[in-house]
Amino acid sequence: MEDTAIVTSIGLPNPITTDESDGAMLEVVGGTPLSGQATISGAKNSALVVMAGTLLCSQPCRIRNIPHLMDIERMGEVLTALGVGLKREDDALVVDASTIAHTKAPYDVVSRLRASFFVIGPLLARMGVARIPLPGGCAIGARPVELHVRGLQAMGADVHIEHGTVHAYVPGSGGRLKGAKIYLDYPSVGATETLMMAATLADGETIIENAAQEPEVADLANFCRAMGARIRGAGTNTITIVGVPSLHSTDYGIIPDRIEAGTLLVAGAITRSELSLYPVIPEHLTAVIAKLHEMGGQVVVEGHSRVRYLPAHTISSTDIQTGPFPGFPTDMQAQFMALMAVCEGSSLITETVFENRLRHVAELNRMGADIRLNGNCAIIKGVHQLSGAPVLATDLRASAALVLAGLAAKGTTTIQGLHHLDRGYDDLEGKLRRLGANLRRYTDAAAATTTA
Ligand code: EPZ
């Protein structure tokens, strides 16, 4: 492995900074059909946790297929703050955690990325101590971490929360966690990943029951196994890990982003367009594909990892209840609501995963949608056509839903709050533009120039 330069950031080409995004607006002109093929980037929710997982390894690791987006940049800042070497090489990231200089993640970095909390498991397992500011809530919910904490305590860690920081350390000589049998009250993705990573270097066997089964959990397990971890059952509701003394270097490729792929499939459905996506792992999209079929479209699997969306003349209504994998993914809920807003008939969405993930309803209604809220349920009465309007993105997936709605609306939609979009999608605008969408990003100043 060539020497890895220690960089202060992972050097995204033209890294989009929050303030740039904050001032920017995305203008979407509706009514243009899409066509062609889009390339799907690496999965954000794999890349973030795998980056944290590199802390388990005392040798450099190379992670391929890392998407270019703000959250990745921020996770890089967290690792750099811990004294880890990072180097971006095109779509790969070389992480050298051979020395971890600090075990306290700085608040200013953690506060900008909830997923920073993922470092607690690897730090405890590797160093026997970790001090991580509580990630706090976000737009979609309180996002507590008690399942992570209780699991680490079951593995012998002393964990207490003081002044908004989680203080964790492994008492006793050697400072190694101990294997334990852990039952998760809820199949939390993050808690499953935290505890699975912690268990890879613990003494003895850990069994996680009622574990999350999301593909990103299995991807993390495969990454850890590539480093020599002994993990069985990832992707099912029971994961067994037998601790090993240390892990070794690996070169690992992240799975494609199923939520980006699902978002682009909905772009095809809402514009009645045929388009193909590559690479895609169809079994990561079973619920999404089933719902698109129910609504009238066809998703055809072509070859090893390509899917093609074939539009229906009319889109029919259906009902969706979000839930843990293999249930319908909450990260696709807002996008499907935009599609249901322009289908024939009434649809019902029940959001069971996050308590505040229906804030896009008000913005879609500003575009002429007919959506009523009742607790964690939304009743969507399809309308013939939405009308373009100025709207504000409230969270990551809501911002994608507003882009999709803009593609189908009559006239122009201008979307603010683009830092949400830039956090979680790797150039979604560019991908849509290459499929034929009529959209462009401008800042207030640029707009003034444009209109002058
Ligand atoms: C991961 O978040 C994803 N984020 C989310 O994606 C995704 O929506 C979520 O899993 C569910 O699939 C990343 O992987 C970085 P959870 P996570 O722990 O791990 C409650 C996106 O848009 N809970 O499965 O935080 C929690 O409050 C993002 O890409 C506890 O009560 O999800 C929530 O209601 C958004 N106590 C539910 O479980 C805990 O200790 C699901 O949370 C942990 C979680």
Side-chain angles (χ1 to χ4, degrees):
M1 187 80 59
E2 66 190 63
D3 289 347
T4 52
I6 300 218
V7 292
T8 51
S9 87
I10 51 179
L12 285 178
N14 320 313
I16 296 165
T17 61
T18 308
D19 39 4
E20 264 176 28
S21 302
D22 279 353
M25 273 190 258
L26 185 65
E27 181 183 87
V28 184
V29 180
T32 309
L34 308 182
S35 65
Q37 171 177 302
T39 302
I40 301 300
S41 301
K44 165 180 83 83
N45 291 346
S46 268
L48 290 171
V49 71
V50 164
M51 285 173 74
T54 60
L55 293 170
L56 292 165
C57 187
S58 48
Q59 299 172 354
C61 286
R62 180 186 175 84
I63 321 293
R64 285 171 284 105
N65 204 24
I66 297 271
H68 290 80
L69 41 90
M70 202 63 220
D71 275 3
I72 297 294
E73 189 75 11
R74 290 181 176 152
M75 181 59 93
E77 289 165 7
V78 174
L79 296 181
T80 303
L82 297 174
V84 168
L86 285 179
K87 188 170 184 299
R88 183 61 126 157
E89 293 174 354
D90 299 329
D91 83 334
L93 193 55
V94 177
V95 185
D96 181 356
S98 44
T99 53
I100 298 177
H102 312 287
T103 54
K104 180 178 188 331
Y107 175 73
D108 62 318
V109 186
V110 170
S111 62
R112 299 196 302 167
L113 175 67
R114 290 199 72 266
S116 316
F117 197 70
F118 280 140
V119 303
I120 191 168
L123 277 181
L124 258 187
R126 176 91 187 277
M127 310 295 285
V129 61
R131 284 165 296 161
I132 317 291
L134 271 174
C138 70
I140 62 177
R143 313 294 290 274
V145 292
E146 87 285 350
L147 296 176
H148 303 239
V149 171
R150 284 214 301 260
L152 293 172
Q153 289 169 331
M155 296 173 75
D158 182 311
V159 187
H160 64 279
I161 296 171
E162 205 176 318
H163 306 306
T165 294
V166 178
H167 295 261
Y169 73 96
V170 185
S173 62
R176 282 193 78 178
L177 292 166
K178 294 168 191 55
K181 190 166 184 177
I182 300 163
Y183 174 82
L184 294 178
D185 292 347
Y186 182 90
S188 153
V189 171
T192 301
E193 293 170 338
T194 287
L195 300 173
M196 185 168 72
M197 289 190 286
T200 59
L201 296 177
D203 270 334
E205 179 178 81
T206 297
I207 299 175
I208 305 171
E209 293 184 314
N210 197 29
Q213 305 178 56
E214 272 71 2
E216 294 75 25
V217 173
D219 202 24
L220 172 66
N222 290 335
F223 165 67
C224 292
R225 287 150 54 103
M227 292 192 292
R230 294 173 58 192
I231 302 174
R232 286 195 327 274
T236 75
N237 62 6
T238 304
I239 304 176
T240 303
I241 308 102
V242 177
V244 295
S246 65
L247 297 175
H248 57 71
S249 183
T250 188
D251 183 322
Y252 187 79
I254 299 287
I255 56 173
D257 194 314
R258 62 191 170 105
I259 305 302
E260 181 186 82
T263 302
L264 288 170
L265 285 173
V266 174
I270 206 168
T271 59
R272 312 285 200 285
S273 307
E274 177 174 337
L275 51 83
S276 70
L277 307 176
Y278 173 86
V280 170
I281 301 175
E283 49 272 20
H284 291 174
L285 284 162
T286 305
V288 168
I289 291 171
K291 287 300 170 182
L292 287 171
H293 286 173
E294 280 178 28
M295 298 181 80
Q298 287 297 316
V299 178
V300 177
V301 178
E302 295 180 336
H304 178 56
S305 50
R306 183 189 306 275
V307 296
R308 180 177 297 276
Y309 179 77
L310 302 175
H313 181 64
T314 57
I315 307 174
S316 310
S317 62
T318 188
D319 296 338
I320 281 172
Q321 174 165 307
T322 66
F325 195 90
F328 187 90
T330 175
D331 294 350
M332 283 299 304
Q333 178 257 107
Q335 298 92 312
F336 265 75
M337 190 182 289
L339 179 60
M340 290 166 164
V342 290
C343 75
E344 300 265 334
S346 289
S347 305
L348 175 67
I349 288 184
T350 308
E351 172 57 59
T352 72
V353 177
F354 290 108
E355 68 269 26
N356 193 27
R357 203 174 201 177
L358 293 166
R359 296 174 63 199
H360 38 282
V361 166
E363 296 305 300
L364 288 170
N365 283 343
R366 287 172 46 74
M367 298 177 69
D370 181 354
I371 307 171
R372 284 176 296 118
L373 275 178
N374 180 8
N376 67 334
C377 294
I379 300 103
I380 305 104
K381 189 162 174 281
V383 297
H384 175 62
Q385 188 167 41
L386 298 174
S387 59
V391 289
L392 177 67
T394 51
D395 59 71
L396 168 56
R397 304 304 173 181
S399 59
L402 294 173
V403 174
L404 297 174
L407 293 176
K410 182 175 174 51
T412 300
T413 299
T414 48
I415 303 168
Q416 288 186 291
L418 296 185
H419 59 283
H420 293 296
L421 196 67
D422 296 336
R423 265 194 52 216
Y425 282 95
D426 185 347
D427 192 20
L428 181 65
E429 293 153 57
K431 288 171 174 139
L432 287 169
R433 202 178 290 119
R434 286 188 286 278
L435 288 169
N438 182 351
L439 43 78
R440 72 189 181 95
R441 178 182 293 232
Y442 61 94
T443 58
D444 289 341
T449 313
T450 310
T451 48

